[in-house]
């Protein structure tokens, strides 16, 4: 079963490596640095250790940036996540402690790991890894909330927080009439959508207006599906 899961992740283009059974700790000497997309190597690892948990190397190795939300023992992850404007729906795993791993596409130029981005929120990217669904910790599984969900681009608001350097509040919206730079696109459009919603506009009207702003001012424009999701949310 674990081998089947591992091979499925390799088919998605993700780099994997084994973890000690019922643990987050790497089973290989170099941990995530040993991660591979080789079916041959993966078969060897999990044939020798059929109950090994599955680690996925994040960052450019797998094209993934994962927002790790911790809610155990009073951690403030839930509140911190709610405070980030413009978070887009994406493939999400539930962790044994009740938190979440939100899987996003990493930017083309990469992204470094960042612990303590906000209270209870870490970023797993280049230089890190996550425990994959199918793995078990203390008898509790990591599991996909909706296995059919699509992975979307990491939200601009997260990138803006990381580039701000200290987790304090960054600029969240572009000034009226100015170009909307990467890092502010999602939050600016979300702010506009909220203003239009308060004036009684419906989803279609909001989506049409955001589409124009996105095409004219966003640098570069967001995907149309993401603009539609902002309007609907």
């Amino acid at each position: 079963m674990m081998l089947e899961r591992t091979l499925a992740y390799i088919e998605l283009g993700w780099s994997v490596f084994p973890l000690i059974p019922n643990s987050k700790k790497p089973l290989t000497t170099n941990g995530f640095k040993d991660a591979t997309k080789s079916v041959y190597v993966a078969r060897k690892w999990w044939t020798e250790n059929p109950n090994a948990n599955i680690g996925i190397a994040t960052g450019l190795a797998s094209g993934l940036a994962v927002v790790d939300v911790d809610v155990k023992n009073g951690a403030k992850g839930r509140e911190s996540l709610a405070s980030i404007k413009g978070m887009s729906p994406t493939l999400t795993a539930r962790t044994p402690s009740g938190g979440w791993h939100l899987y996003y596409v990493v930017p083309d130029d990469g992204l470094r790991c960042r612990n303590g981005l906000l209270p209870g929120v870490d970023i797993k990217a280049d230089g890190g890894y996550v425990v994959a669904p199918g793995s078990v910790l203390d008898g509790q599984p990591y599991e996909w909330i909706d296995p059919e969900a699509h992975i979307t681009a990491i939200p601009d608001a997260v990138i803006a927080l990381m580039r701000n350097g200290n987790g304090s509040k960054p600029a969240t919206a572009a000034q009226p009439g100015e170009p909307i730079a990467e890092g502010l696109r999602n939050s600016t459009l979300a702010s506009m959508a909220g203003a239009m919603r308060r004036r009684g506009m419906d989803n279609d009207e909001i989506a049409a207006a955001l589409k124009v702003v996105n095409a004219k001012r966003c640098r570069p424009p967001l995907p149309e599906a993401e603009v539609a999701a902002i309007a609907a949310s």
Side-chain angles (χ1 to χ4, degrees), residues 17 32-33 56-61 64-68 106-107 109-118 121-130 154 158-159 161-163 165-166:
F17 65 102
F32 68 86
K33 294 181 180 179
I56 298 174
T58 48
L60 293 175
L64 296 172
V66 178
V67 178
D68 182 0
V106 75
D109 57 351
L111 200 67
R112 295 295 301 174
C113 285
R114 175 74 178 277
N115 291 328
L117 177 72
L118 292 171
V121 174
D122 298 332
I123 304 297
K124 305 298 184 182
D126 290 314
Y129 68 95
V130 291
I154 190 166
V158 174
I159 294 176
L161 276 170
M162 295 188 73
R163 289 178 177 171
N166 57 12

Side-chain angles (χ1 to χ4, degrees), residues 42-159:
R43 283 187 181 278
K44 183 176 184 298
W45 278 337
W46 271 272
T47 298
E48 294 174 351
N49 301 279
N51 294 321
N53 277 345
I54 306 166
I56 298 174
T58 48
L60 293 175
S62 299
L64 296 172
V66 178
V67 178
D68 182 0
V69 183
D70 184 8
V71 300
K72 69 179 183 296
N73 299 326
K76 301 295 185 180
R78 189 188 305 272
E79 293 85 349
S80 293
L81 183 66
S83 74
I84 305 174
K85 303 299 183 183
M87 290 295 288
S88 54
T90 195
L91 181 67
T92 301
R94 183 180 292 108
T95 69
S97 64
W100 306 281
H101 287 165
L102 284 66
Y103 284 64
Y104 291 102
V105 178
V106 75
D108 291 339
D109 57 351
L111 200 67
R112 295 295 301 174
C113 285
R114 175 74 178 277
N115 291 328
L117 177 72
L118 292 171
V121 174
D122 298 332
I123 304 297
K124 305 298 184 182
D126 290 314
Y129 68 95
V130 291
V131 183
S135 302
V136 176
L137 187 65
D138 297 329
Q140 299 299 315
Y142 289 78
E143 55 189 358
W144 297 118
I145 292 176
D146 177 5
E148 302 300 319
H150 294 292
I151 300 179
T152 58
I154 190 166
D156 289 337
V158 174
I159 294 176

